[in-house]
Amino acid sequence: MEDRIEIYGRGRLPPRLETRLAAHFTLRADPDPFPGEAWLARHGTTVRGLANGSFAPLTAELMDRLPNLEIISSIGVGYDMIDVAAAKQRGILVTHTPDVLNADVANYALLLLLAASRDLILQDSHVRSGRWASDGPAPLTHTLEGQPIGIVGLGRIGRELARKLEIFGGPILYHGRREQPEVSYEFCPDLYDMVGRCSALILCLPGGAGTDRLIDARALDALGPEGILVNVARGSVVDQPALIAALQEGRLGRTALDVFDDEPEVPQALRDSERVILSPHAASATVETRQAMFDLAADNLIAYFRDGAAHTPVPECRA
Ligand code: NAP
Ligand code: 8YV
């Protein structure tokens, strides 16, 4: 029965996922995340599942063109690009890939923090450019040892990161919508108060309407001219123009960014700044973790159509 079910492969799906899906379903792939009329006319009414390999918005309008859609399986833990309320209204289940990427994303946040605090990119260019030989050593940097570090969003990834940050021996503070009594880190209900006490701030919270521009000019000023901002969450949680202004005016020390407002576009001002480390949304991008994400995305579709229940629905879609 399974092999007659049609799955819409939205965006560029990795070969591993395509192969898994093709073994169980009829795959109707379209690399363009906004399918054209010809594709919709051929497949729009027959696809029952969707494997989402795109960061482009998945809107109510698109769902309306897929009237027999039952499940959207997203590759990744963040699902701010999917209109989950619209999906729920239409009886469509949304799943994501939590947990399997916690360690690698936390490791990457740590890597970005260390690289920013020790000016790793500048040290590298100091050697390559010959300035080491001509001018002597690069300027001194600042230590992370004993420094207070703040995390916004102490969830699955944030907690894994906090555990890793313990090696520096400084206080670990966190901000979120609620205190988590089971952890030993200090809860700070006031974001600005916490940021003002930290040498570095790491963002691990979801994107979307509830967190849009949470890190604004006031928060950046509270972090200050020696402060470091690391973002592995979503570009939308930071006021990007305010971030650029704070860097240009010397009101913020360093930033290391894996995510941006309008990916893959990155403003020239960020590209030009020596106090910025840039990364192309790569925090989960190891062979091992991506395989685990692709497999979980496939398993959600397989389990749903075989057993009627997926492994990892998003919280809004849990019974
Ligand atoms: P999670 O377990 O749901 O944790 C998210 C945390 O954010 C929760 O602890 C939540 O705490 C907090 N939060 C939610 N809304 C908030 C708000 N308005 N203000 C402050 N804190 C808020 O999610 P996760 O699995 O750790 O993933 C977190 C995010 O990381 C994803 O949604 C995604 O955007 C991003 N991510 C990025 C990459 C990458 O490649 N760069 C990879 C994976 C994930 P409270 O409920 O207490 O507020
Ligand atoms: C991407 C991420 O999903 O999980 C998330 O929320 O942002 C990343 O892991 C991944 O790059 C897309 O496949």
Side-chain angles (χ1 to χ4, degrees), residues 102-182:
N102 293 350
D104 269 331
V105 177
N107 286 341
Y108 207 74
L110 189 56
L111 171 71
L112 291 176
L113 175 65
L114 278 163
S117 77
R118 300 302 304 272
D119 277 342
L120 183 64
I121 308 293
L122 286 178
Q123 309 281 12
D124 180 271
S125 75
H126 199 73
V127 178
R128 288 175 200 272
S129 65
R131 288 199 304 275
W132 187 19
S134 60
D135 302 356
L140 298 181
T141 62
H142 288 286
T143 187
L144 280 178
E145 288 296 313
Q147 295 297 316
I149 299 175
I151 297 176
V152 186
L154 195 74
R156 289 169 291 242
I157 294 167
R159 262 182 258 130
E160 180 96 20
L161 173 64
R163 199 175 55 76
K164 292 171 193 279
L165 289 172
E166 288 177 17
I167 57 173
F168 297 115
I172 296 170
L173 301 81
Y174 71 99
H175 171 74
R177 293 166 301 180
R178 63 188 172 88
E179 185 166 13
Q180 301 184 37
E182 66 279 13

Side-chain angles (χ1 to χ4, degrees), residues 77-78 80 101-102 105 152-158 175-178 180 204-207 210-211 214 232-234 258-259 281-284:
V77 66
D80 47 303
L101 40 56
N102 293 350
V105 177
V152 186
L154 195 74
R156 289 169 291 242
I157 294 167
H175 171 74
R177 293 166 301 180
R178 63 188 172 88
Q180 301 184 37
C204 297
L205 70 168
T211 60
L214 186 73
V232 292
R234 284 290 183 263
D258 186 45
V259 285
H281 203 144
S284 69

Side-chain angles (χ1 to χ4, degrees), residues 100-292:
V100 294
L101 40 56
N102 293 350
D104 269 331
V105 177
N107 286 341
Y108 207 74
L110 189 56
L111 171 71
L112 291 176
L113 175 65
L114 278 163
S117 77
R118 300 302 304 272
D119 277 342
L120 183 64
I121 308 293
L122 286 178
Q123 309 281 12
D124 180 271
S125 75
H126 199 73
V127 178
R128 288 175 200 272
S129 65
R131 288 199 304 275
W132 187 19
S134 60
D135 302 356
L140 298 181
T141 62
H142 288 286
T143 187
L144 280 178
E145 288 296 313
Q147 295 297 316
I149 299 175
I151 297 176
V152 186
L154 195 74
R156 289 169 291 242
I157 294 167
R159 262 182 258 130
E160 180 96 20
L161 173 64
R163 199 175 55 76
K164 292 171 193 279
L165 289 172
E166 288 177 17
I167 57 173
F168 297 115
I172 296 170
L173 301 81
Y174 71 99
H175 171 74
R177 293 166 301 180
R178 63 188 172 88
E179 185 166 13
Q180 301 184 37
E182 66 279 13
V183 302
S184 57
Y185 315 118
E186 181 184 338
F187 174 59
C188 300
D190 186 300
L191 172 70
Y192 302 109
D193 174 60
M194 178 180 88
V195 177
R197 294 167 55 201
C198 290
S199 302
L201 184 69
I202 310 182
L203 308 180
C204 297
L205 70 168
T211 60
D212 196 56
R213 320 290 148 199
L214 186 73
I215 305 304
D216 56 9
R218 184 178 161 202
L220 297 170
D221 281 340
L223 198 49
E226 300 293 339
I228 298 171
L229 174 72
V230 174
N231 190 2
V232 292
R234 284 290 183 263
S236 62
V237 306
V238 175
D239 182 336
Q240 198 166 271
L243 174 64
I244 292 169
L247 287 162
Q248 285 175 336
E249 292 159 21
R251 289 183 281 111
L252 181 70
R254 304 270 184 279
T255 189
L257 306 170
D258 186 45
V259 285
F260 305 87
D261 251 351
D262 184 25
E263 298 174 9
E265 302 305 322
V266 176
Q268 197 60 43
L270 289 177
R271 298 197 212 182
D272 287 344
S273 173
E274 289 196 325
R275 289 184 290 123
V276 178
I277 293 177
L278 299 169
S279 163
H281 203 144
S284 69
T286 63
V287 170
E288 296 80 2
T289 286
R290 283 289 166 86
Q291 284 186 358

Side-chain angles (χ1 to χ4, degrees), residues 52 55 74-79 81 95-98 101 234 284 293 297:
N52 191 37
F55 273 105
S74 197
I75 311 162
V77 66
Y79 50 93
M81 73 298 277
T95 66
H96 64 153
T97 62
L101 40 56
R234 284 290 183 263
S284 69
M293 292 163 65

